[in-house]
Structures are given as C-alpha cells and as structure tokens.
C-alpha cells in the first residue's frame, strides 16, 4: 500500500459563536488547512472528502457532509459523512488515509464540525446522551458525566487513584490551553481551583469535565505519489488503528479501562513499527479527567494503575516522558464533538512542522492522536512521524 501524508491542517477557534453556522465554521477550518499547505492547492485538486459530525441539535441531519464541502467549493467531489459520536472526525481521517493507501484517491479532505452551544442545557445533554447506550443508560437518566464518574470510582477503588490526581490533569491541560489561541477555555487554573470546583457527578467536579463547544477542523491527506507537489516536509501517517466495543458501560467486564483504545493503539503501533516509548507528544481524548488517566494506561504510556502518579510526577508534561495534550486537550481547547478528532490532527501537524508556538515540543519527530466515541464504544489512533519528502 502507498504511504499517506498530512500536508495541511487547520481549524476554527473553538468556543461559543452565536453568529456562526456549521457552514461558516467549516469554511474557516478549510481555509486554514489550505493556507497551511506549503505548495499550491485549490479545490480542483481534491478527489474525495470525509466529514465527521454528530449533528447536535438536529441541524442538517442528512447530507451534512455535502452541505459543508459544497459550501467551500468542492463541487462534485464525493463526500461521505461519518458519525461515530465523539470519534467522528478521527474516523474521517482514518477513511481519508484508507482512500489514499488503497489508490482510489491522491488528495482527500478529512474534517469535522459541530455547533453545540445554541441549544438549551437539557437539549445538549440529550444529544450528547444519544452516543451512550440508549435503553439502559440514557433512558434511565444516566449522563456521560455519570458514566465516566462510574469509571473514575472504579479506578479509585482498584488503583487508589485520587481526586487530587484527577485535578492535576485539569491544571496541566489548562496551562497548555492558555498558550493556544484557538482554545475555548484558554486560561490557567490552580490545583485549589480544580479541587474545590462544584461536583458534577461524584467524584467528578466541574474542572474534571470538558466544555460543550462550537468548532470545525480539517486535514489534507495526500498520497506518496503527489506529496512532493505540496510539501517539503510532511506528517507521514505511520500507523492507524481503530476498534469498537460494547456501547454500554454496564455491558463490559471492567470499568477501569477502554479496551477499544488499547486495541486501536496496538494496531497503530504495529503498523508504525514504533511504540509509545518513541512518542514525543500525544493528543488524547480527555472528555473527563479520568479519561486521560485511562488513556495513559490504554496507550501504553504507563502501566495499569500508574496513571495518577504519571501526571502528578510531571511525566506527561513538558520535560517529562511524553507531553500529553499540548493543545489543552478537550478540557481546555474544547470538545466540538464532530471536530475533535480532526482538531487533534491539527495539533499534531503544528507540532511536527514546528508551528506550535509557545506549545512547541522541542525536536518533536513522532506523535499520536487518540479519539474516543462515547464511553469507549469506538476508538481510533493515528501515529505520525515527520518526514522530509523533498520537492
């Protein structure tokens, strides 16, 4: 199979934008992605497009993919909409890579978009809840915060994880997000702030939960046959893995990990030919603080039960073993469901091309993105490495 490369990536700001639409947000991300390509690229160069979105609030449930790609001028380009809850655009990137590797396309747009802040709190909880198990979780009143609270409680009981360790995740990610001009919650917080916030679903409090967010992100994936037309230096998609699992938490054997994440990571590492010890940074799916701790373990960054110490000892921060969520993660950068996975790839592109500004991981050559749907019903992992491709 041919190699696939990311030659451009961009995003809108993430936040609350009452004057924007899903089309205008996607246009901002698309334009930023095109502008980031070193060589010349225009709408005529695209062979295919894949767009991830949940369609929160009921807007344009059908044909939302063509609605945004036609808006940005990709006339006639076949467009597929992917819905895999919070992993929608991570899977969109995966499908773009598959199209390129298979030889069916040379240039593919992969992106995502969501508008979440124009609905009431009750409506937003409903639309978030549809990504959970319907009969026995959502219809019985269980929220996603409640599901992840169960996972946090189980992790605490099995490994001795503490609320203070959960709070360190928030402190770290807010510190990173404060240097990200696109972040929804781009401010720092103290450990005291994160410890003393109001409880949302015990043991999780407000600072342990990501915000609901508007935003869009896009990445341009090309084949090895044309990469030198667009870049001298690009991200090679070294490995990609994906997996599914039971949608309902109650259907699983354990609450302390996300098996789909571990399976997806194992596949990505095997394809890439390198493992977690080679990573300089990782963008992981921290919809709740416990999700980041479990990701450390599922992705092999540390052993099971060691994630609490991993964050408090600074091993996931600058100067540590691997810098996690340089963008601020979902916690600080924000979580526009359909745009989150592609947004992680935007951060990987910036890090591996030396364009991350104050967030730059010095000398970064390899990184990973990890995107989860629901409470672990789907997961997708991409491993990237910087490569000089010549012109």
């Amino acid at each position: 199979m041919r190699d696939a490369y990311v030659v451009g990536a961009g995003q809108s700001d993430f936040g609350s934008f009452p004057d924007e639409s899903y089309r205008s947000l996607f246009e901002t991300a698309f334009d930023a992605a095109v502008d980031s390509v070193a060589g010349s690229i225009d709408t005529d160069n695209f062979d295919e497009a894949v767009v991830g979105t949940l369609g929160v609030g009921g807007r344009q449930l059908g044909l939302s993919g063509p609605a945004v790609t036609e808006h940005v001028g990709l006339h006639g380009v076949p467009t597929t909409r992917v819905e895999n809850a919070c992993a929608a655009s991570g899977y969109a990137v995966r499908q773009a890579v598959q199209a390129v590797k298979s030889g069916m396309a040379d240039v593919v747009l992969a992106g995502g978009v969501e508008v979440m802040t124009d609905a009431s709190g009750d409506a937003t909880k409903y639309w978030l809840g549809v990504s959970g198990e319907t009969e026995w979780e959502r219809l019985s009143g269980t929220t996603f915060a409640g599901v992840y609270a169960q996972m946090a409680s189980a992790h605490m009981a099995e490994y001795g994880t503490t609320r203070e360790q959960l709070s360190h995740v928030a402190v770290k990610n807010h510190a990173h997000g404060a240097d990200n001009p696109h972040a929804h919650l781009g401010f720092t917080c103290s450990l005291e702030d994160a410890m003393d916030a109001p409880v949302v679903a015990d043991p999780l409090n407000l600072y342990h939960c990501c915000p609901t967010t508007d935003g869009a992100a896009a990445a341009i994936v090309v084949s090895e046959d044309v990469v030198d037309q667009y870049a001298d230096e690009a991200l090679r998609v070294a490995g990609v893995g994906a997996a599914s699992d039971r949608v309902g938490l109650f259907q699983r054997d354990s609450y302390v990990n996300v098996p789909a994440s571990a399976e997806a990571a194992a596949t990505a590492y095997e394809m890439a030919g390198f493992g977690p010890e080679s990573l300089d940074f990782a963008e992981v799916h921290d919809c709740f603080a416990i999700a980041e701790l479990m990701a450390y373990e599922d992705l092999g960054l540390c052993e099971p039960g060691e994630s609490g110490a991993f964050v408090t000892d600074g091993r996931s921060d600058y100067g540590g073993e691997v810098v996690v969520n340089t963008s601020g993660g979902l916690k600080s950068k924000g979580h526009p469901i359909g745009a989150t996975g592609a947004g992680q790839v935007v951060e990987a592109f910036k890090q591996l091309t030396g364009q991350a500004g104050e967030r730059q991981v010095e000398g970064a050559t390899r990184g990973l993105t990890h995107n989860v749907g629901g409470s672990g019903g789907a997961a997708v992992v991409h491993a990237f490495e910087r490569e000089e491709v010549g012109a």
Side-chain angles (χ1 to χ4, degrees):
M1 291 188 293
R2 302 185 302 176
D3 271 335
Y5 295 83
V6 177
V7 296
Q11 66 170 90
S12 70
D13 289 342
F14 283 6
S16 176
F17 306 112
D19 295 329
E20 299 284 353
S21 70
Y22 67 97
R23 283 188 173 100
S24 66
L25 288 167
F26 191 84
E27 182 177 22
T28 298
F30 174 77
D31 289 347
V34 168
D35 289 345
S36 72
V37 178
S40 176
I41 191 169
D42 59 39
T43 55
D44 292 336
N45 297 124
F46 289 90
D47 301 313
E48 195 165 334
V50 192
V51 177
T53 183
L54 180 63
V56 171
R59 67 182 53 76
Q60 195 56 48
L61 287 178
L63 294 177
S64 53
V68 294
T69 56
E70 280 290 321
H71 179 72
V72 300
L74 300 188
H75 305 308
V77 174
T79 299
T80 303
R81 178 250 182 134
V82 175
E83 186 285 296
N84 240 0
C86 316
S89 61
Y91 270 81
V93 173
R94 178 176 181 264
Q95 286 196 209
V97 171
Q98 287 178 316
V100 165
K101 282 183 168 292
S102 72
M104 291 188 68
D106 280 317
V107 181
V108 183
L109 176 68
V113 63
E114 214 75 73
V115 175
M116 302 178 66
T117 65
D118 64 345
S120 69
D122 286 342
T124 300
K125 283 190 293 184
Y126 172 84
W127 282 102
L128 287 169
V130 298
S131 300
E133 202 281 332
T134 299
E135 292 178 286
W136 298 103
E137 288 183 349
R138 183 173 67 81
L139 293 182
S140 66
T142 303
T143 64
F144 266 129
V147 169
Y148 276 91
Q150 293 176 63
M151 299 168 101
S153 295
H155 206 275
M156 290 174 162
E158 184 156 340
Y159 296 125
T161 307
T162 67
R163 288 179 175 84
E164 181 172 340
Q165 290 169 335
L166 292 171
S167 298
H168 272 278
V169 173
V171 173
K172 173 182 68 69
N173 290 350
H174 273 284
H176 297 176
D179 289 326
N180 185 350
H182 296 300
H184 187 172
L185 304 179
F187 54 81
T188 60
C189 74
S190 68
L191 183 60
E192 183 180 12
D193 292 333
M195 288 285 289
D196 295 342
V199 171
V200 174
D202 190 54
L204 302 179
N205 68 32
L206 186 64
Y207 271 87
H208 302 149
C209 308
C210 72
T212 54
T213 305
D214 306 332
I220 299 170
V221 182
V222 308
S223 74
E224 64 181 41
D225 295 339
V226 302
V227 64
D228 59 0
Q229 299 176 29
Y230 301 108
D232 297 327
E233 185 176 71
L235 280 65
R236 187 175 76 89
V237 185
V240 57
S244 299
D245 197 3
R246 300 292 186 94
V247 173
L249 182 63
F250 73 94
Q251 297 171 306
R252 300 181 203 157
D253 294 332
S254 173
Y255 286 14
V256 299
N257 66 338
V258 178
S261 293
E263 291 179 32
T267 301
Y269 291 144
E270 182 177 6
M271 182 183 295
F274 59 80
E277 67 284 347
S278 297
L279 298 174
D280 298 301
F281 66 90
E283 286 289 299
V284 310
H285 197 93
D286 63 319
C287 49
F288 299 91
I290 186 60
E292 177 161 330
L293 295 186
M294 291 190 297
Y296 295 167
E297 299 170 7
D298 292 332
L299 300 174
L301 305 181
C302 68
E303 294 298 317
E306 293 183 0
S307 58
F310 194 79
V311 67
T312 56
D313 292 346
R315 294 161 65 189
S316 59
D317 209 341
Y318 290 89
E321 296 176 20
V322 54
V323 192
V324 178
N325 286 336
T326 59
S327 69
L330 283 63
K331 176 63 193 76
S332 175
K333 183 182 182 183
H335 184 26
I337 297 176
T340 291
Q344 293 175 326
V345 176
V346 173
E347 182 69 11
F349 178 79
K350 290 180 178 180
Q351 288 290 344
L352 292 177
T353 56
Q355 301 178 61
E358 295 296 318
R359 306 186 311 283
Q360 185 65 49
V361 177
E362 185 176 355
T365 59
R366 287 174 172 169
L368 173 147
T369 62
H370 159 253
N371 193 197
V372 176
S375 59
V380 58
V381 171
H382 291 90
F384 300 98
E385 62 181 356
R386 187 176 69 217
E387 185 173 303
E388 302 288 339
V389 296

